[in-house]
Amino acid sequence: AQKVTQAQTEISVVEKEDVTLDCVYETRDTTYYLFWYKQPPSGELVFLIRRNSFDEQNEISGRYSWNFQKSTSSFNFTITASQVVDSAVYFCALSEVGFGNEKLTFGTGTRLTIIP
Amino acid sequence: DTEVTQTPKHLVMGMTNKKSLKCEQHMGHRAMYWYKQKAKKPPELMFVYSYEKLSINESVPSRFSPECPNSSLLNLHLHALQPEDSALYLCASSQDPASGRFNEQFFGPGTRLTVL
């Protein structure tokens, strides 16, 4: 069975600080995808990134960066120079591959509050 | 048009009412999903439609009845709900289940349902 663990339930940082959100996953599949989604107070889930299990390159997109390490089954997300607009719940998710109807297994989420 | 829309945004209903939630996308996506999200919990998959056919039902009670009348539209019919069914109901779509490629899911803003 697949499982995603986000041990940090809530994090608060002062604006402009860097913050890392942790994600640890379990799967028996050799091919899988990992995701991060952002859920602001308005409710919609905003797709941030997808990473497949064969691509361990880290990725940077503006103030966001992701560190994927298969050896530790982790896919951590760092926000650099945080801003108030980054306040949201962030979900890490894992997907089985194939069939086209991808089933996402979500972690329990990390509520991030950026203090002005 | 690159978004998933959901109506209504908010819905309050009694336990004897019949109501429907609507989801629409015009991205040409051929897979559509319903998720249920309770407060402070991650989304949980309810149903998946692929090419307008129900492909996944995650053992959802029959008081929830999905319908996919065409490739752009997904409904969730509600009848005899319980107060514990109060939640945010999220719709999502993804591109092409038959492509053999992974397709990330795009989410709508959700319908916040309260059952009295």
Side-chain angles (χ1 to χ4, degrees):
Chain A
Q2 299 190 322
K3 185 178 177 184
V4 176
T5 300
Q6 294 179 254
Q8 304 151 308
T9 307
E10 296 192 24
I11 300 176
S12 295
V13 300
V14 176
E15 195 173 18
K16 296 185 183 164
E17 288 185 352
D18 300 347
V19 58
T20 295
L21 309 183
D22 297 333
C23 174
V24 174
Y25 63 91
E26 296 174 30
T27 180
R28 283 184 286 194
D29 293 338
T30 54
T31 305
Y32 51 88
Y33 286 85
L34 294 161
F35 303 81
W36 278 95
Y37 282 89
K38 173 182 180 181
Q39 189 172 40
S42 51
E44 77 274 24
L45 279 164
V46 178
F47 167 77
L48 296 178
I49 190 171
R50 176 188 83 201
R51 173 67 71 223
N52 77 50
S53 51
F54 296 111
D55 181 4
E56 286 193 72
Q57 278 196 340
N58 292 329
E59 180 156 339
I60 298 174
S61 176
R63 296 184 297 106
Y64 295 170
S65 62
W66 290 270
N67 183 318
F68 176 31
Q69 294 200 351
K70 272 178 97 166
S71 59
T72 55
S73 296
S74 65
F75 186 42
N76 296 337
F77 173 30
T78 297
I79 301 174
T80 304
S82 60
Q83 300 176 2
V84 172
V85 294
D86 297 326
S87 296
V89 179
Y90 290 85
F91 289 99
C92 181
L94 170 67
S95 178
E96 300 172 1
V97 174
F99 316 116
N101 304 314
E102 281 74 19
K103 291 179 65 170
L104 292 172
T105 300
F106 286 90
T108 49
T110 297
R111 181 176 300 277
L112 176 64
T113 302
I114 309 299
I115 303 165
Chain B
D1 188 351
T2 57
E3 63 173 2
V4 178
T5 59
Q6 289 187 244
T7 53
K9 275 191 167 179
H10 300 273
L11 178 63
V12 179
M13 62 185 289
M15 289 191 283
T16 58
N17 292 158
K18 283 186 181 180
K19 296 285 184 184
S20 296
L21 309 184
K22 180 179 169 182
C23 172
E24 206 160 0
Q25 57 86 15
H26 295 287
M27 296 180 278
H29 289 178
R30 302 308 300 273
M32 295 185 78
Y33 309 73
W34 279 116
Y35 288 83
K36 175 181 178 179
Q37 186 179 19
K38 300 281 281 182
K40 301 194 175 185
K41 297 288 186 183
E44 295 177 356
L45 183 66
M46 299 174 73
F47 302 104
V48 182
Y49 273 82
S50 177
Y51 292 95
E52 296 91 70
K53 287 186 170 40
L54 184 65
S55 59
I56 297 176
N57 177 342
E58 292 286 283
S59 303
V60 179
S62 59
R63 57 185 184 270
F64 295 92
S65 174
E67 179 198 19
C68 189
N70 59 59
S71 60
S72 300
L73 191 53
L74 183 67
N75 297 319
L76 186 63
H77 302 299
L78 314 172
H79 174 53
L81 293 194
Q82 304 295 311
E84 58 264 29
D85 297 321
S86 298
L88 179 69
Y89 288 83
L90 291 161
C91 173
S93 69
S94 63
Q95 193 168 10
D96 182 0
S99 69
R101 298 191 313 267
F102 186 84
N103 300 283
E104 56 260 35
Q105 296 176 29
F106 294 86
F107 285 82
T111 293
R112 201 163 292 279
L113 173 68
T114 303
V115 182
L116 300 176

